[in-house]
Amino acid sequence: MSIDVLQEKIRKFKNPVMVGLDPYLPILPQHIVQDAFAEHGQSLQAASTAYERFCTELIDALKNIVPAVKLQSACFEALGADGIAVMQRVSKYAKEQGLYVLIDSMRGDVGPVAEIYAQAMFGEVPIGQSLHKLYECDALTVNGYLGSDGIKPFLPYCKREGKNIFMLLKTSNKSSREVQDLLSGDRVVYTAMADLVMRWSSDLYGKNGYSEIGAVVGATYPQTLKLLREKYDRLFFLVPGYGTQGGTAKNVQFAFDRFGHGAIITASRSIICAWQKEGSDGTDYLSYAVDAAEKMKKDIAKHVVIL
Amino acid sequence: MSIDVLQEKIRKFKNPVMVGLDPYLPILPQHIVQDAFAEHGQSLQAASTAYERFCTELIDALKNIVPAVKLQSACFEALGADGIAVMQRVSKYAKEQGLYVLIDSMRGDVGPVAEIYAQAMFGEVPIGQSLHKLYECDALTVNGYLGSDGIKPFLPYCKREGKNIFMLLKTSNKSSREVQDLLSGDRVVYTAMADLVMRWSSDLYGKNGYSEIGAVVGATYPQTLKLLREKYDRLFFLVPGYGTQGGTAKNVQFAFDRFGHGAIITASRSIICAWQKEGSDGTDYLSYAVDAAEKMKKDIAKHVVIL
């Protein structure tokens, strides 16, 4: 269900882009940081306030251009409890604004611990007779190194509650080859991981034919994207590595099927830090972000037509 | 440095056991839950209060028996911001009580995001001119599926600040074979991962000969423990899967070198939930935990002599 929702949002916007919200003080415009310091001193609360303003302003500016956002969990976690409170609120705000929300935490626990985590992220936390919803989260990134025991706890949420998980197959970083490209028989580790995803997907296909369990494949490896697209025609791809990391619109075309479906491209710094590259003082960071998002949409549209 | 500290603590207690603090409402003694509900209602705050009492009481009860504790991050994360605040406080309390503290989050990010995470967990978070320490954390579990880019951000903390990371090699769960046991040439994926750890370890050996980068190998695979112990004589093993998951004292003997060094065995539910098995009402859960920890120490001592 949810993978259909994501695809429909992409079609509506004609834009297969997910903006990564990775707040971090050194990349925030100075006026946001200074306002927060003036109110709360140089505290974790100040930083959290600044992150919240930065993320919600970006959501407001981008919500009519992009269908989805990705919250980088580690950035919020790095402010401790204050940061987590902001991640909870930002996820809810993004959802209220109509966006598909992915929380990028790349977790990989197993057994009861993974069940507890899945429930907290996707469901409601039971306390006595009451239920508490922490996040509004459509999807999570998950590390499958531990095998099925780490994935199964998420599947009921994918099946019944319209949630998605995206398994790490081939990540965009340079050293991803060290483990992910190891050859095993006629497969490499990341295709073995893809085969596992297919096994878990058996009763989890959306109306558009794609599995509710997607796969992370980096824009920096276009040949891999192409091979995986051909072999795994029912895996929806989440594609990081565009922009700052070197992935281009030409690269990412291979992630899509012939209808221009089946993939979404993430971009973080190239959009949310666009003002830094241009030498602005940051007060107009939102218009830089909008311009960068529009440009990315146009660049991809040169290579991918979304029917 | 830190791996020496851990080994010395183990020698001092003659006990290679790390107790896992995995708080979760259904496993908490009823009196702790009821007291918290009475004070805060059926809220996230109540659950957090209960977790904090449970963990600090266990720390007080066990600090003269075991050298180390492991905080299960997902359990705390599942209470959102309130839970994270408690994890921060519990880590500090455990450290004050002289314990070696591992936070078990099995994260695996890369690049700037991993740097932000490593700094938050091991260092201090800079906000303006001020520095903020979130955790007292000697060690983290790390998932190396993304390769060196995910590990390098932690190495300066291992080298200069006496911190350790433990890489997932062969985890204790049943389905760990699906990815970790894939054969690649004359290696399997988990030995390829071990080879990477050795590469990263080149200038990171403690005085006891062990690397500051340890390895997670499950108690449920004794033959694997034996083979890895023989082949990687400089990797310190963190061994989960004892007790509830089926690992025995006989199994885990293979994790140790001939001096009884080089490994620590984790146990969570078999100690912190010992009262449930015995049919107690939970008011005396601490004495059950102490008995279970003492028994585990004795059981291991039958097979491992720590010189």
Side-chain angles (χ1 to χ4, degrees):
Chain A
M1 185 178 86
S2 191
I3 205 71
D4 293 329
V5 170
L6 177 58
Q7 186 63 68
E8 273 317 297
K9 280 186 199 287
I10 292 170
R11 287 186 70 190
K12 183 180 141 200
F13 286 96
K14 295 278 180 202
N15 190 16
V17 172
M18 176 184 279
V19 171
L21 301 175
D22 302 18
Y24 181 46
L25 281 182
I27 68 155
L28 261 56
Q30 270 310 299
H31 69 283
I32 293 182
V33 177
Q34 292 310 328
D35 286 357
F37 283 1
E39 199 179 346
H40 300 289
Q42 296 184 354
S43 62
L44 292 162
Q45 199 191 350
S48 306
T49 302
Y51 284 18
E52 185 162 10
R53 177 171 164 196
F54 181 65
C55 291
T56 52
E57 287 184 354
L58 280 166
I59 289 167
D60 287 338
L62 295 168
K63 67 184 178 189
N64 295 319
I65 307 169
V66 301
V69 288
K70 179 172 86 69
L71 309 189
Q72 181 51 260
S73 183
C75 291
F76 296 93
E77 288 174 63
L79 298 183
D82 291 301
I84 294 295
V86 168
M87 184 160 77
Q88 294 176 225
R89 290 200 294 274
V90 169
S91 76
K92 288 176 185 172
Y93 186 76
K95 190 77 187 166
E96 282 164 16
Q97 300 307 309
L99 291 158
Y100 179 94
V101 179
L102 179 138
I103 293 184
D104 191 7
S105 57
M106 306 219 249
R107 291 295 297 265
D109 287 305
V110 289
V113 172
E115 280 168 29
I116 290 168
Y117 185 76
Q119 182 184 55
M121 301 307 289
F122 280 153
E124 295 177 298
V125 179
I127 297 178
Q129 305 301 315
S130 66
L131 292 170
H132 301 263
K133 188 143 189 65
L134 298 179
Y135 296 100
E136 285 292 345
C137 171
D138 295 297
L140 288 169
T141 48
V142 175
N143 187 325
Y145 184 71
L146 289 85
S148 301
D149 298 316
I151 306 312
K152 282 181 186 157
F154 295 99
L155 300 186
Y157 297 95
C158 296
K159 192 169 173 64
R160 291 198 296 265
E161 319 232 355
K163 305 295 185 183
N164 299 133
I165 55 172
F166 289 88
M167 303 292 304
L168 306 183
L169 296 192
K170 172 67 178 164
T171 55
S172 57
N173 58 302
K174 246 187 185 168
S175 67
S176 65
R177 65 184 158 70
E178 292 171 353
V179 177
Q180 298 163 24
D181 290 15
L182 287 173
L183 193 66
S184 182
D186 58 351
R187 305 188 295 178
V188 288
V189 167
Y190 64 77
T191 52
M193 193 74 92
D195 290 339
L196 285 175
V197 176
M198 293 311 297
R199 207 171 80 196
W200 300 320
S201 293
S202 61
D203 57 349
L204 286 172
Y205 294 105
K207 286 182 194 144
N208 61 16
Y210 282 101
S211 169
E212 302 290 357
I213 310 176
V216 176
V217 186
T220 42
Y221 299 103
Q223 284 310 310
T224 302
L225 267 176
K226 199 174 172 181
L227 287 170
L228 290 175
R229 178 72 296 155
E230 282 164 12
K231 182 155 185 208
Y232 300 96
D233 58 357
R234 306 190 76 174
L235 284 190
F236 199 101
F237 293 154
L238 179 76
V239 184
Y242 189 97
T244 315
Q245 285 181 62
T248 64
K250 209 174 162 183
N251 291 161
V252 300
Q253 65 180 310
F254 301 117
F256 297 87
D257 67 19
R258 66 186 192 280
F259 306 109
H261 298 174
I264 192 161
I265 317 301
T266 72
S268 304
R269 285 169 285 166
S270 59
I271 292 177
I272 68 175
C273 308
W275 65 275
Q276 288 190 320
K277 258 165 98 181
E278 300 285 336
S280 118
D281 70 349
T283 47
D284 50 357
Y285 80 105
L286 291 170
S287 62
Y288 281 104
V290 168
D291 289 350
E294 298 275 20
K295 185 176 179 306
M296 182 173 171
K297 177 181 174 175
K298 271 182 212 149
D299 285 347
I300 293 175
K302 283 178 203 158
H303 300 275
V304 181
V305 178
I306 299 174
L307 299 181
Chain B
M1 186 179 86
S2 191
I3 206 71
D4 292 328
V5 170
L6 177 59
Q7 186 63 69
E8 272 317 297
K9 280 185 198 287
I10 293 170
R11 287 186 70 190
K12 183 181 142 200
F13 287 96
K14 295 278 178 201
N15 190 16
V17 171
M18 177 183 279
V19 171
L21 300 175
D22 301 18
Y24 182 46
L25 282 183
I27 67 155
L28 260 56
Q30 271 310 299
H31 69 284
I32 292 181
V33 177
Q34 292 311 327
D35 287 356
F37 283 1
E39 198 179 347
H40 301 291
Q42 296 184 353
S43 62
L44 292 163
Q45 201 191 348
S48 307
T49 302
Y51 284 17
E52 186 162 9
R53 178 173 164 194
F54 181 66
C55 292
T56 52
E57 287 184 353
L58 280 166
I59 289 166
D60 287 338
L62 296 168
K63 68 184 177 187
N64 296 319
I65 307 169
V66 301
V69 289
K70 179 171 87 69
L71 309 189
Q72 181 51 262
S73 184
C75 291
F76 297 93
E77 289 174 63
L79 299 183
D82 292 301
I84 294 294
V86 168
M87 185 161 74
Q88 293 177 224
R89 290 201 295 274
V90 169
S91 76
K92 289 175 185 172
Y93 186 74
K95 190 78 186 164
E96 281 164 17
Q97 301 308 309
L99 291 157
Y100 179 93
V101 179
L102 179 138
I103 293 184
D104 191 7
S105 57
M106 307 220 250
R107 290 296 297 264
D109 286 306
V110 288
V113 172
E115 280 168 30
I116 290 168
Y117 185 76
Q119 182 183 56
M121 301 306 289
F122 280 153
E124 295 177 297
V125 179
I127 297 177
Q129 305 302 313
S130 66
L131 293 170
H132 301 263
K133 187 142 191 67
L134 298 179
Y135 296 100
E136 285 292 344
C137 170
D138 296 297
L140 288 168
T141 48
V142 175
N143 187 324
Y145 183 71
L146 290 85
S148 302
D149 299 316
I151 306 311
K152 281 181 186 158
F154 295 99
L155 300 186
Y157 297 95
C158 296
K159 193 170 172 61
R160 290 197 297 268
E161 320 231 356
K163 305 294 186 182
N164 300 133
I165 55 173
F166 289 87
M167 303 292 305
L168 306 183
L169 296 192
K170 172 67 178 165
T171 55
S172 57
N173 58 303
K174 244 187 187 168
S175 67
S176 66
R177 65 185 157 70
E178 292 171 352
V179 177
Q180 297 164 23
D181 289 14
L182 288 173
L183 193 66
S184 182
D186 57 351
R187 304 188 295 178
V188 288
V189 167
Y190 65 77
T191 52
M193 193 73 92
D195 290 340
L196 285 175
V197 175
M198 293 311 297
R199 207 171 80 196
W200 299 320
S201 293
S202 61
D203 57 349
L204 286 173
Y205 294 106
K207 286 181 195 147
N208 61 15
Y210 282 101
S211 169
E212 303 290 355
I213 311 176
V216 176
V217 186
T220 42
Y221 299 102
Q223 284 310 310
T224 302
L225 268 176
K226 199 173 173 183
L227 287 170
L228 290 174
R229 179 72 297 155
E230 281 163 13
K231 183 156 183 208
Y232 300 96
D233 59 357
R234 306 191 76 176
L235 284 189
F236 199 100
F237 293 154
L238 178 76
V239 184
Y242 188 97
T244 316
Q245 285 182 62
T248 64
K250 207 172 163 185
N251 291 161
V252 300
Q253 65 180 312
F254 302 117
F256 296 87
D257 67 19
R258 66 186 193 280
F259 306 109
H261 297 173
I264 191 161
I265 318 302
T266 72
S268 303
R269 284 169 285 164
S270 59
I271 292 177
I272 69 175
C273 308
W275 65 275
Q276 288 189 321
K277 260 165 98 179
E278 301 285 335
S280 119
D281 70 350
T283 47
D284 50 357
Y285 80 105
L286 291 170
S287 62
Y288 280 104
V290 167
D291 289 349
E294 297 274 20
K295 185 175 179 309
M296 182 172 170
K297 177 181 173 175
K298 271 183 215 150
D299 286 346
I300 294 175
K302 283 179 204 157
H303 300 275
V304 182
V305 178
I306 300 173
L307 298 180

